[in-house]
Amino acid sequence: EDARPGAEPFDVEYRALTRDGRTVWFHDVAAPLEEPGRDGELWLGVMLDVTARRAVEEELAEREAHLRLLLEEVPAVIWSVDADLRFTSSTGGGLGALGLRPGEVVGRTLEDFFGTGDPSFPAIAAHRRALAGEPVDYELVWAGRTYHSHVEPLRAADGAVRGAVGVAVDLTDRKAAEEELRRSYELLRRADAHRRELMARLVRAQEEE
């Protein structure tokens, strides 16, 4: 097809509505060709039906949005570190309780974040084991809150461990509820023991009369 002189190549995606009401996506790529002896230009182009690809992309985007919403709502922290125990990502609704924003610790090491280089410190020891290829669970009290954490090796396509990824769930409220339940049970147990003792005294007093 002839085109105006000086036309530029283009690469666009657009959608169209079919006669039966379906939405179809097309990827259109075209570039002008020069042909000696012609005043105008010829176009060389290709049009692809990318409806299936767009559907997959939209589904993935929807899932990612749902996952982000869950991460923002669940009181958990998710992070990754490289082989030098340097944070490469951090996200999750639990960051707020630590006074942190998503990604704020990226670039810092675990030793710097926790303020210790002690290899026996639970978080550091767990990440070292993860770098050695072992998944690890541990519990840590930090900044006045209690976390159950799980750390896994982060592997490259060839299977080599290139870091670790972890998730920490804030158990503070659950622990507080469990402690309150334990105290309530202890009070009930003591009250029942006291009641039994009073009943025994009453029985003995009646027998002595």
Side-chain angles (χ1 to χ4, degrees):
E1 175 179 352
D2 288 339
R4 69 184 185 277
E8 295 291 333
F10 66 84
D11 183 340
V12 296
E13 284 193 6
Y14 57 91
R15 60 184 176 182
L17 191 65
T18 64
R19 291 181 178 180
D20 58 1
R22 293 182 300 110
T23 299
V24 181
W25 282 90
F26 293 102
H27 186 180
D28 195 355
V29 181
L33 293 178
E34 294 184 2
E35 183 175 331
R38 289 183 61 92
D39 296 332
E41 293 180 334
L42 295 178
W43 285 102
L44 176 63
V46 60
M47 179 184 293
L48 300 175
D49 184 340
V50 294
T51 306
R53 193 205 74 198
R54 291 289 299 219
V56 172
E57 291 175 347
E58 290 173 1
E59 182 179 356
L60 287 175
E62 183 177 345
R63 291 183 179 182
E64 289 175 359
H66 182 63
L67 179 59
R68 284 195 299 271
L69 179 61
L70 287 177
L71 292 177
E72 291 171 358
E73 296 296 328
V74 174
V77 180
I78 300 174
W79 68 92
S80 59
V81 298
D82 61 18
D84 297 320
L85 297 184
R86 192 176 301 278
F87 285 103
T88 54
S89 69
S90 65
T91 187
L95 287 172
L98 297 172
L100 296 172
R101 299 184 304 275
E104 184 175 348
V105 299
V106 171
R108 297 173 61 184
T109 63
L110 283 178
E111 291 89 345
D112 178 42
F113 177 76
F114 288 109
T116 178
D118 183 358
S120 65
F121 185 74
I124 295 176
H127 283 75
R128 291 290 184 195
R129 289 167 61 186
L131 290 178
E134 178 185 358
V136 184
D137 287 277
Y138 66 97
E139 194 166 287
L140 180 68
V141 177
W142 185 254
R145 306 194 70 81
T146 302
Y147 296 91
H148 176 81
S149 302
H150 179 79
V151 184
E152 288 270 355
L154 186 60
R155 299 182 183 275
D158 60 1
V161 177
R162 61 182 180 86
V165 59
V167 56
V169 179
D170 191 338
L171 302 181
T172 308
D173 295 338
R174 196 194 80 181
K175 288 283 188 180
E178 290 175 350
E179 180 60 23
E180 183 62 29
L181 183 61
R182 187 194 66 78
R183 285 198 296 263
S184 298
Y185 175 78
E186 181 63 20
L187 288 174
L188 287 173
R189 188 189 66 80
R190 291 180 182 179
D192 184 62
H194 185 59
R195 180 186 62 82
R196 290 174 182 273
E197 182 181 352
L198 290 177
M199 289 295 295
R201 289 181 181 179
L202 180 60
V203 170
R204 287 197 299 268
Q206 291 177 343
E207 290 175 347
E208 291 174 355
E209 289 179 354

